[in-house]
Every structure is written in C-alpha cells, then in structure tokens.
Amino acid sequence: MKRELFQSDIGESYVKAELSSGLKIYILEKPQYNSSYAVFGTKYGSIDTCFAVNGEETTVPEGIAHFLEHKLFESEDGDAFTKYAKTGAYANAFTSFDRTCYLFSCSDKFYENLDILLSFVQSPYFTKETVEKEQGIIGQEIRMYDDSPAWRVMFNMLMAMYHNHPVRIDIAGTVDSIAQIDYELLYKCYNTFYNPANMFICIAGNVDTEKVLKQIKASVKATEPVMLERINTPEPNEIVNPYVSQKLAVAQPMFCFGFKEAIKTPERSIKSKICTALLIEILAGDASPLYKKLTTEGLINDEFSSEYFNGNGYACVIFEGESKNPQRVAEEIKAEVERLKLEGIDKKLFSAVRCSMYGNAIRLFDSVEGIAMQFIDCAMNDSGLFDDIKYLRSLTAEDVYKRLLKLDIENTVLSVIEPLEDA
Amino acid sequence: MSEKTVTLAQGTEGLFIKNQRFNTTLISFNFYLPLEKQKVAANALLPFILTSCCKAYPDFSRLNYKLNKLYGARLDASTEKFGDYQLLKMSISVINDRFAIDGESLIKQSVGLLLGLIFEPSTENGAFLTEDLEREKRKAIEHIKGEFSEKRIYAKNRLIEEMYRGKVYGLGKCGTIEDVKTITGEKLYEAWENMLKTAFVRIHVIGAAMPSGLFEEISNRFSSLDRSASINPQKSRLTEAALEHREVVEHSDITQGKLCMGFSCEMSGNDNESLPMIVTNDILGGGPYSKLFSNVREKLSLCYYCSASCVRPKGLLMIESGVEAKNCSKAEAEILNQLEELKKGEISDFEFESSIKSICDSLNTYNDSLASLDTWYTLKINNPTLYSPANIAEKIKGLTKQDIIAAANGITLHTVYKLLPKEKN
C-alpha cells in the first residue's frame, strides 16, 4: 500500500493511500469531533453512456448510473438501510454527471458503519423483480424534477449548449429510457465501473487512520483491473442554440446563462478552476460593480448565483437566478466581460475576493461533511486538499485577467423558464 | 450539562457556548415578536434591510466588500415562524483571528459591524431611505413569488394556510405581496424601534472564546432603550383537533401531484412532555426504517418521497408526498392505515430501536456544527432548563413504546391538501 502524509500550516493534516488494486483512500482525523463522515465513490455518472471494455463497445440507456445507485442498496442478505438502522447512522447516496457516491455520517459505531458501506457497495444483487419495483420509484423522482423549474432551466441550457456530449441528458434519464434497464445491463455497468481502480474512499472525523486503513484493506476484494475506455462523440466548440425557453407554473421568470468554453483537453487543472472561481467573484460576486448594477436596477435578487461547471469533456461558466428581464441580465454580463477585457481587473477587488476565498477555504475544515466532499473532488481530479489555499496565495490579478480573455461572448446560451399566461 | 444564559437587559439574554473545535466564531441576534397580521411583513423585512447597509456602510456593495476583506465573514439574515411568534435572526460568522495574515482582529471588527447594522441603520428623519426600502421590498415580493415555483414548498405552505385560516399561524412568514407593498420608510422605522424595544432578545456567541466586553456592550445598548414593554414569550396555542377533517384540492400545470396532510397532536411545547412526539413522528415518516418509507415508497412503489415532520410548539404534524394523480387516494389511504397501525401499538422492536438510535446519533452530531448549535438554542426559549442536544438524547433513550403509542393516539387528521395536475380536455 502506497501512502503519503499531507500537512498544512493551518493546523490540519491528512493521509492519502492507494491499495495495490488502485483504490484511493483519503483520511483526515478530527479527534475533537463527535461525528465522522465517510464516502465510497466511483468515477461513474450519467455521462458514461458509451464505453468500451477490453475493446468491446457498449451503449447503455440514459439514467442507468443513477438507477444502479438506487439498486445497490439491496444485497442478497437484506438492504443496507436496514443494516444502518441498527447502528443509527444517517446514510444516503447521490449520482451526478461524473460520479456516484455512497455515504454515511454518524456519531457512534463508525467501524460497524464502515463495514456496512464497504460490504454493500461490493455486493451487487439485481433481479428482475427488484428492477421493476425501482422503475416506479425513480419514475416519480423524474416527474418531481420535470416540475422543478430550477432543474429544468439548467438542463434546457445544457441541451442548447452541447450537441453530443452526454452532459446534456438528465441524470436520472427519462421514464422511457429507464424502462429499457434490466438486471443484466446493471451487472455489466457495475462490473465495468465499480472496479477498485476506478473508485475512492473519503473519510473525515473522529477516526483512527491506521485502524481504518487496516479495515479497508481487509475488506476490499482483489479484482483484476478493467481496460476501460470512455467513448465521447467529438463535441463542436460552438453552441447549438443561443436561446431556449420553456413555460412552467412559475410566478416570475428564471434564467440560466452560460459561456461555453472551447477545450483542448478533457479535464481542467485545479489551478485553472481556482482562477476561474476568482474571476467569477470579481465579475459578478456580491461586491462587484455588475452585481450592484443588476441589483439596483431590480434585475436580480438573492437567488443570483454563479459557478464554473466542468467535468470530463465539458466546461462552462454559468450565471443563474430569477429576473423580470433575463435578456437584460445576459446583456449586462456580456457587457461587463467586455469592459473588464478593456479596463483590466480591479486590483483592490481582486485582493478582497482572494481574501474571502482564503477564509472560506479555512472555514471548510469546520465541517466533516465539507472535508469529505472536498476529498471527492481530490479523488476525481487527482488534486490535494490544501491546493485551494496554496493557489490562492500564489494567483495574481494578471492570471485572472488572462483567464477572463477566454470568455467568449459570442458562444453563450440563455435558458429561460417563463410563467404560463394564466399563472 | 445544560447551558446557562445571562441577563443583559430586561427581556434580553446572552448565551455563550464554548466550543473549541471550530476555526470560526458565530454571533447571532435573535428577536422574538408576536405574529400579527398588521406587522408580519414589516417585521420580516427588518433582518434583510438591516443586514444590507447601515450608517457606516450606506452602500450594500461597500458592505459586501468589507465582508470580503474580513476573510469572507458571513452575514446572514432570516425570518421564520416560531409557533405563534416571529423570529428575526441576524448573524455573523468569521474565521478566528489566528488565521488573519496581518494579525488583524477579525472577530472584534465583525462584532462591531453587526452591532452597527442592527443599532445604527441607514435612516433619515425617522424613516428608512427609499432606495434601500424599495430594493428590499422588491426582493421580498420576489421571494414570496418564488415559493410558488417550487411546488413542494408551495403545497406545504398552502396546507398551513388552510389549516390555520383566521389564526396567526396561518400567516405567511413574510406576509403577503399586498402587505409588503404597503410598507413605507416610516412604518419600517417604527417596526425597527418596536423590535429593539419590545422583542424578547437572545444573543448567541458560539466559538472558542468570548469576545471581550461584548456582552457588556450589548447590555449597554439595550439598557439605554426603554425596554419596559418588552415581551416574555409564552407557549404557543396548540392546534385544536378537528371533529371532521377538510379536504382542499387545487390544480396546476404540473406533472406530479403533491399530497400534504396536516394533523393536530395533543402535546406541549415543553421538552419533557413533547419528546415522545419526536420518536412517533420519526417511526411514522422519518428514516428509511419508518412506516411510510417502507410501505408507501418501498412496498407499494407509489412515490419517491413520503415523509412526516412535526412542529412541536404548535402540536402540528405534516405528511407530504409527491405522487401521480391517479395514485393519490391510494397513497392517502395507506398513510392513514400506517398511522392506525401505530395507534394500535403495532411498533416492531426494529422500528422502535432504529428510530431511537437514529435520533440520538444525529443529536450527538450537533456539537460539530455552529449552525446546528445556533438553531438548537434559538428554538429553546420557554423551557425552564436549556438542555443540550446530548441531554435530550439521554432523555429520548429513556422513552418506552408505550410513550410512543400514547403520543400517536393524540394525532387527529385535520386537513388534506392536494395539488393535482390540470385535467386534460
């Protein structure tokens, strides 16, 4: 087992280990805390709809990663929730575009809970009957999202932005696509993506690193690595449609406005992500001139937010919120990008925003959940937990300016949810 | 060990919770006022306008810039219903001074900022400034409209509105759009003075060390005001059992129906007496071991969520689910069936023990979160003893199945609210 200790001058340290099977493990001890948080995850999400194993290509129905997540809780000897019920832990799971994670949090019986987690994630049990039952439950989950304007406004934007990349499809799929899922397909996906070499375990809290590593090592099954290839249809740099709208039962318009980025490599570097986060705050954060203008003119409210949305093969800068006039908001954002390109980055604002992000990076260590979630990003991007702090200390206003130049105002999508006439 | 408050002025309590595990310190001001139709909207606006600007920072953008400079100090405002009271919360949290690169005192500056925001707002001639007022009114109106957009929240709000028609608890926490529109700069100023003079006030400081002189300063601020008419919050009126339940059905352009059921519970807002209800609620519709999850979702495959929640100060239990319109009656019948089982004492050892363990495990995590601790003590104002989450966990461990069954038998269906898709012609 390879292992490495990472220490930071803010008084925190963690261990990163890798088993011979390729499984990555991250542990940060918080001996003064009551609680602990653990995640067992795989680099497998809704975008992995087309792949080749040992050269054999397969296309699977949309939403299957999420379906698999639901079904993995059932094992031959009962379901994981029943086992957790005996310890009192809070357990859950989530599937996003590029990952599926199983987690628990507890203040007691950590090692018993870890056993449950390690065991059920490694024990798939799918039958015809259990698959059919889940179609009803997930069908209702999909319906719930169909009615959620916040969800729709985002996916409508992604559909108008991406021609081919599967980031444009709903994470849970559709009622029709999940009807095509059967237990054999689930096993195929499981055997491909739930290989230790593609997986990670992230733990923060009141735990003993040595004991945890020993327990994981004894539990993780020796599995031959899979020759996995993710197949992506080439994605053009250009967007599909600059504007998309849908009417739903809302009382005021909602919008999602994104800049599509032309990318040469599938992944963004950690430094580039932090630099983009700084840029977004300087451009549209709550101390920016743009935020002041939009608020004063009654164009945005406290729901306004922004993010750098990126993963394997996709990257865009997104602004979303509620507005009586989404078109104006989009125009103002574009105008501000152009203004900053001409006038440069305000050094004082840069320094204040950097200070704030530095404080937030320190604040993160107050929450075992926050640390575990950050570890997931580390595992996905092969980055370190203290990278934010390191890069925030070294990035300059010049770096942010260079990053700004890559925002292309000609390659944007505005998605709007409009109220129905009679709402 | 239970916590102790100190009296800072009439109707004004300070509570310091020493907790050395955090990199951050949190200071919250909590104002409790009676819920009243005439005042609810203006009161609800106060935390937001007060945390947007003040005499020292008349421009919200400069204030946000200052917060950034304070290493991302977080200024939060909220307004909530707490039984028949309105709870106005304003808080600031900031990383501890030892992290400041230039050795500045971040906590002292943050405390000074918060006091300035609450006590020295940006006003002129006894009124809030029009620009600030109109901005915050617009945001409040948009917030109220936004609650219609998320149907799960909307359906729950509509259930409460229908259950408490003509009663203060039926008021929206921000009032109505019409209420907000009528607020003037003068009216809001009056509401601000009223809040400072008459609200019951609780100040929380949670962190490694008590900022020196803070309680003294707060004490001086409040003592200089006429607090002779300050209120002493009483227990809220419990929900009366209905002789016959009502059903309200509405339609909207949605694909999935929302089923919300409201029940009255015979209980009291006092910790000792209402603890069984926490467990009863949880066995019915809490974790995956609960009756609703395992039957309505897992066995019948009718929904993605079906859960119960309890507002103990009001003796109110709500069950909510998202279901196909055609399955709505089936889900409703099964929910009532599961409640009947509970009343008859059909509680397995597995359900009972799982619930107690889950609740206690969760309570023991509260000490690891500033926000959880702040919320916990905010909800403890009329209890004679300020029990900690760990205290309550111990008490819950002492409950028996009989306690749970007794609490279940005090539950009566009051109102059923259904939001269904419009029928297609």
Side-chain angles (χ1 to χ4, degrees):
Chain A
M1 179 166 51
K2 287 188 277 185
R3 60 183 288 175
E4 214 176 332
L5 174 71
F6 294 87
Q7 285 175 298
S8 159
D9 55 8
I10 62 160
E12 305 282 352
S13 65
Y14 71 94
V15 165
K16 178 187 174 190
E18 191 174 326
L19 300 186
S20 53
S21 61
L23 176 77
K24 291 191 180 72
I25 304 158
Y26 298 80
I27 307 167
L28 186 141
E29 292 186 14
K30 280 272 184 189
Q32 68 280 44
Y33 274 58
N34 296 345
S35 50
S36 306
Y37 202 99
V39 180
F40 196 172
T42 167
K43 295 180 186 178
Y44 173 47
S46 63
I47 62 172
D48 298 302
T49 50
C50 190
F51 52 89
V53 181
N54 300 325
E56 189 196 332
E57 200 175 312
T58 308
T59 301
V60 291
E62 295 174 358
I64 194 167
H66 172 258
F67 203 100
L68 176 49
E69 173 227 299
H70 271 239
K71 286 328 298 167
L72 204 55
F73 277 89
E74 284 169 20
S75 299
E76 208 161 359
D77 61 341
D79 80 295
F81 281 128
T82 310
K83 292 171 192 163
Y84 279 125
K86 290 176 181 155
T87 67
Y90 166 80
N92 210 339
F94 65 87
T95 306
S96 69
F97 296 97
D98 57 0
R99 62 195 78 173
T100 309
C101 295
Y102 302 83
L103 58 93
F104 71 81
S105 93
C106 66
S107 59
D108 194 17
K109 301 194 174 70
F110 174 81
Y111 301 97
E112 275 178 54
N113 290 320
L114 183 58
D115 254 337
I116 298 170
L117 179 68
L118 292 168
S119 157
F120 88 83
V121 175
Q122 296 187 86
S123 316
Y125 177 67
F126 315 127
T127 67
K128 192 167 176 284
E129 293 71 33
T130 60
V131 168
E132 279 171 11
K133 185 203 79 177
E134 210 64 29
Q135 275 157 351
I137 297 171
I138 296 178
Q140 285 312 306
E141 190 179 359
I142 292 170
R143 289 261 183 253
M144 182 176 82
Y145 285 120
D146 283 344
D147 285 336
S148 166
W151 190 259
R152 293 286 9 126
V153 77
M154 166 88 172
F155 276 93
N156 290 349
M157 190 209 72
L158 291 172
M159 279 196 284
M161 186 174 273
Y162 289 93
H163 295 260
N164 303 319
H165 196 287
V167 71
R168 68 198 300 282
I169 60 173
D170 248 294
I171 290 170
T174 63
V175 173
D176 290 337
S177 76
I178 63 166
Q180 299 161 29
I181 294 172
D182 61 32
Y183 71 97
E184 284 168 338
L185 275 174
L186 289 176
Y187 274 115
K188 180 160 201 168
C189 290
Y190 181 87
N191 291 329
T192 305
F193 292 100
Y194 284 67
N195 184 291
N198 193 47
M199 300 181 78
F200 47 85
I201 294 177
C202 307
I203 295 170
N206 190 343
V207 299
D208 180 291
T209 302
E210 300 312 317
K211 206 173 157 184
V212 168
L213 287 175
K214 210 172 142 191
Q215 190 178 343
I216 295 174
K217 204 176 162 200
S219 162
V220 172
K221 294 169 188 167
T223 315
E224 284 297 309
V226 173
M227 286 294 290
L228 165 67
E229 191 197 341
R230 290 177 161 92
I231 301 169
N232 279 341
T233 316
E235 173 66 33
N237 287 339
E238 296 74 33
I239 52 146
V240 183
N241 258 321
Y243 180 76
V244 57
S245 78
Q246 183 186 359
K247 285 191 159 79
L248 279 178
V250 295
Q252 59 200 339
M254 292 170 79
F255 68 90
C256 185
F257 177 60
F259 290 74
K260 184 178 184 178
E261 294 197 328
I263 49 176
K264 293 195 186 83
T265 55
E267 297 287 354
R268 307 303 95 224
S269 73
I270 185 77
K271 188 177 173 185
S272 144
K273 287 180 197 185
I274 295 165
C275 193
T276 312
L278 275 165
L279 169 63
I280 291 173
E281 273 302 302
I282 292 165
L283 181 66
D286 62 11
S288 68
L290 176 66
Y291 187 91
K292 184 178 177 183
K293 183 166 199 242
L294 294 174
T295 302
T296 309
E297 293 184 16
L299 290 167
I300 57 166
N301 56 32
D302 295 344
E303 299 298 316
F304 184 72
S305 67
S306 50
E307 70 165 314
Y308 188 34
F309 177 77
N310 65 93
N312 192 320
Y314 59 92
C316 54
V317 172
I318 293 177
F319 303 88
E320 54 190 322
E322 299 171 341
S323 178
K324 61 182 183 193
N325 192 344
Q327 284 81 359
R328 267 287 310 284
V329 176
E331 289 309 317
E332 292 292 348
I333 293 171
K334 286 199 264 188
E336 183 68 356
V337 166
E338 291 304 290
R339 185 186 73 85
L340 292 181
K341 281 181 183 175
L342 281 175
E343 296 178 14
I345 301 288
D346 176 343
K347 295 259 169 37
K348 273 186 161 174
L349 186 56
F350 166 80
S351 142
V353 162
R354 191 168 70 151
C355 197
S356 170
M357 283 177 62
Y358 183 77
N360 287 335
I362 287 168
R363 197 187 279 266
L364 170 88
F365 290 92
D366 276 354
S367 156
V368 290
E369 179 180 358
I371 299 163
M373 291 298 144
Q374 191 80 4
F375 269 151
I376 298 175
D377 284 341
C378 293
M380 293 295 301
N381 308 322
D382 205 20
S383 56
L385 195 60
F386 305 124
D387 284 359
D388 287 22
I389 292 173
K390 183 175 85 184
Y391 288 116
L392 281 171
R393 284 173 180 163
S394 67
L395 281 165
T396 63
E398 188 57 29
D399 294 323
V400 175
Y401 182 73
K402 281 187 197 148
R403 180 68 188 81
L404 167 75
L405 295 178
K406 290 182 190 157
L407 287 191
D408 179 4
I409 62 161
E410 300 300 330
N411 210 26
T412 62
V413 175
L414 174 64
S415 159
V416 178
I417 298 293
E418 290 181 82
L420 294 153
E421 278 81 11
D422 58 350
Chain B
M1 198 186 73
S2 58
E3 301 287 347
K4 292 258 182 307
T5 58
V6 291
T7 301
L8 303 177
Q10 186 172 335
T12 311
E13 294 179 348
L15 176 64
F16 170 52
I17 299 161
K18 193 179 170 79
N19 193 322
Q20 284 174 303
R21 68 195 71 182
F22 303 120
N23 291 341
T24 320
T25 298
L26 178 138
I27 297 118
S28 77
F29 275 71
N30 304 283
F31 295 88
Y32 304 76
L33 286 163
L35 262 175
E36 288 174 70
K37 167 78 183 145
Q38 304 308 322
K39 296 181 178 171
V40 63
N43 286 343
L45 206 60
L46 285 171
F48 299 97
I49 197 161
L50 292 175
T51 54
S52 73
C53 54
C54 63
K55 280 237 152 47
Y57 294 93
D59 173 350
F60 70 87
S61 203
R62 294 306 297 170
L63 174 63
N64 290 333
Y65 177 80
K66 176 67 188 169
L67 292 167
N68 274 306
K69 294 288 280 180
L70 289 172
Y71 291 78
R74 212 166 281 171
L75 192 57
D76 281 312
S78 68
T79 174
E80 296 294 337
K81 284 193 286 184
F82 174 56
D84 293 338
Y85 291 85
Q86 205 173 0
L87 165 61
L88 314 177
K89 188 188 268 294
M90 284 161 272
S91 66
I92 198 160
S93 69
V94 62
I95 58 168
N96 293 334
D97 293 349
R98 68 188 172 94
F99 297 109
I101 293 165
D102 305 328
E104 311 152 69
S105 173
L106 302 177
I107 293 176
K108 199 173 166 207
Q109 289 187 67
S110 299
V111 165
L113 184 59
L114 185 61
L115 288 171
L117 291 164
I118 295 172
F119 290 94
E120 291 140 30
S122 195
T123 59
E124 222 171 63
N125 305 324
F128 279 85
L129 306 183
T130 310
E131 189 187 328
D132 301 330
L133 177 72
E134 292 309 318
R135 179 186 66 237
E136 297 305 321
K137 277 169 69 172
R138 170 182 68 81
K139 290 205 279 185
I141 289 168
E142 290 178 1
H143 178 81
I144 297 169
K145 283 184 176 176
E147 289 186 338
F148 171 72
S149 302
E150 284 302 331
K151 296 295 176 288
R152 198 171 165 171
I153 299 170
Y154 174 72
K156 207 170 170 176
N157 286 347
R158 284 287 297 121
L159 170 72
I160 292 174
E161 198 179 339
E162 288 294 334
M163 267 183 96
Y164 299 90
R165 272 203 176 281
K167 300 191 172 78
V168 290
Y169 195 68
L171 296 171
K173 65 178 183 184
C174 301
T176 63
I177 291 176
E178 284 65 39
D179 293 337
V180 177
K181 283 182 180 163
T182 62
I183 301 171
T184 61
E186 288 79 14
K187 266 193 187 172
L188 194 60
Y189 190 90
E190 208 177 289
W192 168 67
E193 280 193 320
N194 181 60
M195 175 188 88
L196 288 182
K197 288 181 182 170
T198 71
F200 172 77
V201 191
R202 170 77 80 61
I203 295 109
H204 293 157
V205 179
I206 311 172
M210 182 69 203
S212 68
L214 174 60
F215 278 169
E216 290 76 4
E217 182 167 359
I218 295 171
S219 172
N220 290 339
R221 297 257 190 180
F222 281 103
S223 301
S224 68
L225 299 166
D226 176 10
R227 296 264 309 156
S228 59
S230 66
I231 64 150
N232 185 18
Q234 304 298 308
K235 281 181 188 168
S236 298
R237 270 186 66 174
L238 291 181
T239 309
E240 284 167 30
L243 293 173
E244 218 175 306
H245 80 269
R246 276 177 68 215
E247 181 168 302
V248 179
V249 182
E250 288 177 348
H251 293 88
S252 180
D253 286 282
I254 47 174
T255 56
Q256 183 188 63
K258 303 285 177 224
L259 169 65
C260 280
M261 302 167 76
F263 302 80
S264 60
C265 317
E266 287 168 16
M267 62 195 296
S268 126
N270 184 298
D271 269 344
N272 287 321
E273 295 163 57
S274 67
L275 291 185
M277 201 59 216
I278 299 177
V279 185
T280 304
N281 172 70
D282 189 65
I283 292 177
L284 184 62
Y289 44 79
S290 71
K291 289 184 178 291
L292 297 183
F293 187 93
S294 46
N295 290 288
V296 186
R297 171 174 148 141
E298 292 295 312
K299 268 201 194 124
L300 298 177
S301 189
L302 287 177
C303 58
Y304 173 62
Y305 68 91
C306 184
S307 59
S309 59
C310 188
V311 184
R312 287 189 295 146
K314 285 302 289 177
L316 162 66
L317 179 107
M318 286 177 284
I319 293 175
E320 45 173 337
S321 184
V323 285
E324 289 283 323
K326 65 177 189 317
N327 289 330
C328 207
S329 304
K330 200 172 161 187
E332 185 183 344
E334 186 57 22
I335 288 166
L336 292 174
N337 176 40
Q338 291 304 321
L339 176 61
E340 278 313 303
E341 294 285 300
L342 194 58
K343 288 186 177 183
K344 280 190 270 174
E346 292 294 330
I347 304 174
S348 68
D349 288 344
F350 170 73
E351 287 167 336
F352 180 70
E353 284 160 19
S354 300
S355 177
I356 302 266
K357 277 185 194 148
S358 162
I359 293 166
C360 294
D361 192 284
S362 161
L363 284 170
N364 285 321
T365 66
Y366 277 51
N367 268 344
D368 295 339
S369 156
L370 282 167
S372 300
L373 283 172
D374 183 40
T375 305
W376 176 267
Y377 288 105
T378 302
L379 301 181
K380 306 246 166 299
I381 53 158
N382 27 36
N383 296 94
T385 317
L386 273 188
Y387 290 115
S388 67
N391 292 147
I392 295 298
E394 280 312 306
K395 286 172 185 287
I396 282 178
K397 280 181 196 158
L399 295 174
T400 65
K401 275 192 195 175
Q402 285 316 311
D403 296 326
I404 310 314
I405 297 164
N409 278 285
I411 299 175
T412 310
L413 181 60
H414 190 288
T415 303
V416 177
Y417 174 80
K418 291 173 186 171
L419 184 66
L420 301 175
K422 278 185 182 158
E423 280 160 31
K424 296 208 171 74
N425 297 323

